[in-house]
Amino acid sequence: MPSRSDIICFGAGPAALPTEIIEDAAQALVNYQDTGLGIAEHSHRSALASNIINEAKANLASYLDIPDDYEIIFMHGGGSGQFAAVAYNFVGAWVARKHKEIGDSVPELESAVRNLKMDYIVTGGWSQKAAAEAERLFGSEHVNIVADSRKTNGGKYGTIPDESTWNLSQDAAFVYYCDNETVEGVEFPGFPKSLEPGANGPIVVADMSSNILSRTIPIKNFSAIFFGAQKNLGVTGVTVAVVKKSFLPPTISQPPAVLMRQLNLPIPPRIFEYETIAKNNSLYNTLSIFDVYIAGQVLKRLLQQHPKVQGQQAVAEEKAQLIYRALDAHPDIYHIIPDKTARSRMNICFRITSSDLTEEAFLQEAAALGLTGLKGHRSVGGIRASNYNSITREGAEKLAKFIGTFASQRETSKQ
C-alpha cells in the first residue's frame, strides 16, 4: 500500500492538504488544546470557537490585503449555495436603493422592477450554472448574459470573449463572473477593464473558489467575492464570502419581506442572508468550527511561507509554466483545451490526440507513479491537472517529467 508521501494528488476538489495540517487536525479532533474534548465537540458559541473564527478572518485579511470596509463571513452551501445567495442579496440591495429613491409607492416600484437585470459573463460550466440559478429564482427576463464564450468558440468553452463584445446593462443589480473555471481550465488573466469602478458602479461579484490564495486580488474593485474552502483553503464544508460593508446595515439593509412579496420577488433564507450572517459573526446557526480551524491553519502556514499572497502567486505561476511547457513541447501528442490567452494556472486541461497513445494509458501510468486525480471532469472528459497551492514544485516537476516521458513512447516507437 502506498504511503501518503508516495502520492501527489492533482484532483480538482476536494484537494489535497499539506500533511502537517492533516496531522494537526487529527490531534485537534481528539483533544483540542488539552481541553479533554475534540474541536468538533466544542460549542460553536464558545469563546474558543469565536477565537478560531476571528483569527482566521484576521489572517485572511492580512494575506489578501482585504480593506477594513469589507466583512468576511463563513457560510454553508458551497459555491452552489452562493449562486443563490448572490442573487438574493444583491437584488435585495438593488430594491432597497430603488425603495429609497421612489418611496413606498408599490406601483412605481413594480415599474422599476420590470427593468431589473442581473448580468452574467459566461465562460464555463460554473458561471453558466450561476446564471441558470438566477433565472430559476427570478425569471429569465431579469438575467442578461453579457457574453457567452461558446458563441465565439464553436459552441465550446475555452476562451474569454473580447470585452468590446460585452453587452453590459446600464443599471444591473450586479455583474457576475467566475474568475477560474475548473472544468474547462479557463482563468481571467486579470480584472476585466470593462468592469473597473466608476462613479456609478458597476457592482461586481466574482466566484474565486478555485484560485483564491494563489494571486493578488484588487479587492476594492469588487462588491463581493466568494470561495469554497476545498481547493486552496481547507476542506469541504465551509464557504467564505467577502462583502463590501456598504451593502450591509446600517448603510443598506434587505428590504422588508412584505415588500419583496408585493413586488413578486423572492426573499433569501436566513442562512443565505449576508446581513444576518455578518451581524452574528458567522454564528447565526451551527457553523463547522473544525472546518474553519483547518482553514485557519492553512492560512497560518501560508503566512509563514509568504507574508503576502504575491509570494504564492510567483510559485503558482512557476509550477503552471513547468507543466504547460512540457505539454507545449509535444503538440502532436497533447492538445491544451483553453486558448493560450485564458489558460488557467490552477486547472490545466488537455487531451491526448495521438492515435498511438490513449488517455486511459496516461492515467494508469501516472497513477502507478503516484500521480493521481488527473481524470478530467465527467462532463468533458480528458485530463486535468489541478495545480493548487498544496502541489509542491517537486510535484509539478514530476508531472512535467512524466508528460515528456509518456510522449516519448510514441516518438521512440516511430523510430
Side-chain angles (χ1 to χ4, degrees):
M1 295 292 288
S3 68
R4 185 175 178 86
S5 61
D6 295 327
I7 300 298
I8 304 169
C9 180
F10 291 92
L17 284 167
T19 298
E20 61 266 34
I21 300 281
I22 294 293
E23 290 173 342
D24 175 84
Q27 177 57 41
L29 273 173
V30 177
N31 186 354
Y32 181 66
Q33 294 187 348
D34 294 323
T35 58
L37 287 176
I39 192 169
E41 298 166 293
H42 282 275
S43 170
H44 63 296
R45 304 290 184 197
S46 65
L48 177 150
S50 293
N51 289 339
I52 289 171
I53 292 170
N54 292 336
E55 185 176 45
K57 287 167 62 174
N59 286 342
L60 181 64
S62 175
Y63 194 64
L64 293 180
D65 284 324
I66 298 173
D68 291 339
D69 58 340
Y70 284 75
E71 184 69 54
I72 299 169
I73 52 179
F74 295 96
M75 300 181 70
H76 306 271
S80 296
Q82 290 301 309
F83 298 164
V86 164
Y88 282 135
N89 284 277
F90 282 94
V91 166
W94 185 91
V95 171
R97 292 195 300 276
K98 296 301 177 186
H99 189 201
K100 187 176 180 180
E101 293 170 11
I102 294 170
D104 293 329
S105 171
V106 172
E108 288 185 60
L109 286 169
E110 287 176 333
S111 178
V113 164
R114 282 194 283 273
N115 296 317
L116 165 67
K117 293 293 182 185
M118 294 168 276
D119 280 6
Y120 286 83
I121 303 165
V122 177
T123 55
W126 293 115
S127 49
Q128 189 277 324
K129 286 183 178 181
E133 181 72 341
E135 287 188 359
R136 188 181 72 85
L137 293 172
F138 289 88
S140 58
E141 68 274 18
H142 294 305
V143 173
N144 173 45
I145 303 300
V146 172
D148 187 331
S149 62
R150 292 170 295 185
K151 293 184 177 180
T152 55
N153 194 47
K156 295 181 179 180
Y157 295 121
T159 62
I160 296 172
D162 190 276
E163 292 185 41
S164 64
T165 67
W166 292 7
N167 177 35
L168 292 161
S169 302
Q170 286 295 315
D171 182 31
F174 58 89
V175 184
Y176 182 108
Y177 74 96
C178 180
D179 204 40
N180 183 76
E181 293 278 4
T182 59
V183 175
E184 297 83 11
V186 171
E187 184 176 29
F188 278 78
F191 188 82
K193 202 156 187 62
S194 302
L195 304 184
E196 288 180 354
N200 298 308
I203 295 166
V204 182
V205 179
D207 175 356
M208 295 189 172
S209 291
S210 52
N211 64 353
I212 196 67
L213 306 182
S214 73
R215 70 178 185 183
T216 57
I217 302 168
I219 297 288
K220 282 288 190 181
N221 291 356
F222 296 95
S223 295
I225 62 172
F226 69 83
F227 40 96
Q230 68 272 15
K231 313 290 188 182
N232 278 333
L233 182 60
V235 294
T236 306
V238 67
T239 306
V240 183
V242 180
V243 184
K244 197 168 188 178
K245 288 180 180 177
S246 59
F247 287 92
L248 302 169
T251 306
I252 246 182
S253 185
Q254 288 293 305
V258 63
L259 175 61
M260 294 293 280
R261 283 195 290 269
Q262 286 176 313
L263 298 173
N264 293 313
L265 294 173
I267 57 174
R270 287 291 188 197
I271 60 168
F272 282 163
E273 192 174 64
Y274 295 153
E275 174 183 330
T276 297
I277 305 304
K279 185 168 62 178
N280 289 276
N281 193 29
S282 302
L283 294 171
Y284 174 74
N285 63 334
T286 307
L287 181 68
S288 174
I289 300 302
F290 177 65
D291 296 337
V292 179
Y293 172 75
I294 291 181
Q297 295 303 105
V298 169
L299 287 165
K300 280 183 184 178
R301 185 176 184 272
L302 285 171
L303 285 164
Q304 290 167 359
Q305 294 173 328
H306 313 286
K308 296 292 180 183
V309 72
Q310 287 89 338
Q312 184 60 43
Q313 177 174 334
V315 173
E317 290 171 356
E318 181 186 17
K319 292 187 299 169
Q321 286 310 309
L322 280 170
I323 299 168
Y324 278 122
R325 277 198 298 268
L327 294 167
D328 283 331
H330 303 280
D332 54 333
I333 306 292
Y334 303 110
H335 169 65
I336 299 171
I337 300 300
D339 186 78
K340 198 167 187 176
T341 59
R343 286 181 179 179
S344 169
R345 300 160 307 118
M346 293 289 104
N347 306 101
I348 299 166
C349 299
F350 59 97
R351 305 299 301 254
I352 292 175
T353 56
S354 168
S355 59
D356 301 311
L357 299 171
T358 67
E359 290 170 353
E360 183 180 358
F362 181 98
L363 295 170
Q364 289 177 350
E365 291 181 32
L369 294 173
L371 303 168
T372 66
L374 287 164
K375 189 174 183 179
H377 190 272
R378 61 187 180 279
S379 65
V380 295
I383 300 167
R384 173 174 57 177
S386 293
N387 177 40
Y388 297 136
N389 289 351
S390 62
I391 299 296
T392 63
R393 190 185 193 282
E394 292 72 25
E397 286 175 340
K398 186 173 181 179
L399 176 59
K401 182 179 179 181
F402 171 69
I403 287 169
T405 301
F406 185 80
S408 69
Q409 295 178 24
R410 178 178 182 271
E411 293 164 355
T412 301
S413 68
K414 291 290 186 182
Q415 293 175 356

